[in-house]
Amino acid sequence: MVVLNKELMTIVREVDVIPFRNRLKEHAVKIGMGLVNQTKIITAASELARNMLKYAKGGKVTLEVISTGRENGIRLTFKDQGPGIANIPMAMKDGYSTAKSLGLGLPGTKRLVSEFNIESEVGKGTTVTVIKWKNG
Amino acid sequence: MEKIPILRMGRLLLVTIQVDLYDRLAESLEADLVQMINKTGARGVLIDISAVSIIDSFMGRIIGNIAAMSKILDAETVVVGMQPAVAITLVELGLPLSGVFSALNVEKGMELLRSKLTNMERNVDGSDDGSAE
Amino acid sequence: MKNEAIRILQKKNKAILESWMKFQLLDEGLREDLMSNDDLRSQSEELLSALTSNLNDNNIEDAKSMGFEQVNDILASVSISRAKQGFSPRETGNYIFSLKNALLEILQQEIKDPQELYMQSIKIGKLIDSFSIDTFETFLRGREDVILRQTDEITEISTPVIQVWDGILALPIIGTLDSARTQVVMENLLQKIVETGSSIAILDISGVPAVDSLVAQHLIKTVSATRLMGAECIISGIRPEIAQTVVHLGIDLSNILTKSTLASALKTAFTMLQLQVTRKNVTNLN
Ligand SMILES: Nc1ncnc2c1ncn2[C@@H]1O[C@H](COP(=O)(O)OP(=O)(O)O)[C@@H](O)[C@H]1O
Ligand SMILES: [Mg+2]
């Protein structure tokens, strides 16, 4: 797998999410991703960016255009230094929320992307990586 | 601060969302709409989202909240013009917005609201149908 | 000092071509039905001259060197077009392997010293082998592209959305409904709803062999997405066996309008749109 393009963005305020989403859209369009898949990855990104803001006072996201030669895609890595998640399996359940919101962010994101990975350590922070393949 | 305009059309309120909402704007819309329903005694709310390209769980919740709050204030909410890609994504996200009425476009939304209102009024005024839920 | 083999190959271009053509035409797998001998000859000539004119001391052991860009391009386009025309791997392989035979044959005729002949043959052999591997890879990729395109086409063809009445769409689903297919069905259906302004969609599943919980989930998703758009969805073509499995599996379809036949779904749709179909009064024609 090769990385064709890589950029780092900081998200510490709500309004930072808009330029990030726009940038993501630009790259998705550039690799020829269809409208539905674009919408899915941007929605997923929106969820993860919001989690970072809401639970970890912000963080950084790496936006990469990747290729396996056969298929191109977008990889997003959300990294924060917030409180971490003690029980990941629980957090991945539909409807589980410590903030009395819908609890669909993490499980919904997983359904919207092609590959999903979450790592978290209490007191250290959380890293969520997602990949959406152009035709995935 | 930026605000989303709410238009009054007789007994209906029309909101056209033209920008991609960020959280505070969506929250203020919720508050403004509820105030407006109360002030105008509106019986229906039409939210045109045809220009919205992303609805995540936060936005989805706001829409659901607006529908539920309007209902308590005796007004029906119809969301119109959802883009296909947005509908597919919401379903995959796990948010089918089951408590919210939808219509294809503003015209059909108005029709739907009107028929709901006339039905409700007929049920209130009418004498033949005494069955209430 | 210029490599002797290179000098020979450049000088004997014509002889190599003749010998290569001879090898190719000898092969009983030659596809004259797919490509005329004239075309084959000009294709071979182009490749050979690209090879010999770009061959030098520095790149003879490196098939990937810049000097062979033209060779690699020609080989790529030859193998892609052969893949699309339906050549077999063997037929495509023979094209490049017979070039190797022709080159080695010339070297054998021209180089007298056995050790030198051995060394040069190894070098040329390795170079052509390396080209062959790339040719195969490209050929396979060409075949895979064909398969992918066909898969797409089949998915497209097998999910037509038909406008059966003003405001009513019908979508007969034939074959299994997996998640990739569901995506296509949803996209086509919702797009058509927007285009036609239809408010009712009938999903006919008579052609779906079995409904398990996964398929049911796909159906429910499609119905939910349709409703989000502001249209109603009716599922028709539910056979008794399907009704049985659905209940046995504990799948809840109670929120979904289901009908056993497309005709009864259409009737329901008419009622919902407050339409009435009546037989024309024919008495006064008698
Ligand atoms: N970046 C994060 N840092 C710490 N906790 C998080 C983070 N992201 C998610 N969580 C935890 O996981 C839970 C589930 O998240 P999510 O599925 O997005 O639903 P919601 O945000 O509606 O609660 C959150 O309530 C929160 O406790
Ligand atoms: Mg969340």
Side-chain angles (χ1 to χ4, degrees), chain A residues 35-37 40 69-70 111, chain C residues 141 144-145 148 183 187 221:
Chain A
L35 183 60
V36 174
N37 278 348
K40 287 182 177 176
R70 171 161 303 278
R111 287 187 289 265
Chain C
R141 223 176 311 128
E144 276 166 25
D145 285 348
L148 284 179
Q183 291 300 315
E187 273 190 66
K221 275 185 190 170

Side-chain angles (χ1 to χ4, degrees), chain A residues 46-52 54-55 96-97 99 101-107 109, chain B residues 57-58:
Chain A
S46 199
E47 294 291 345
L48 296 173
R50 171 164 307 105
N51 280 356
M52 234 166 40
K54 194 156 133 191
Y55 305 113
Y96 174 82
S97 171
S101 45
L102 294 175
L104 287 174
L106 291 176
T109 292
Chain B
S57 70
F58 180 86

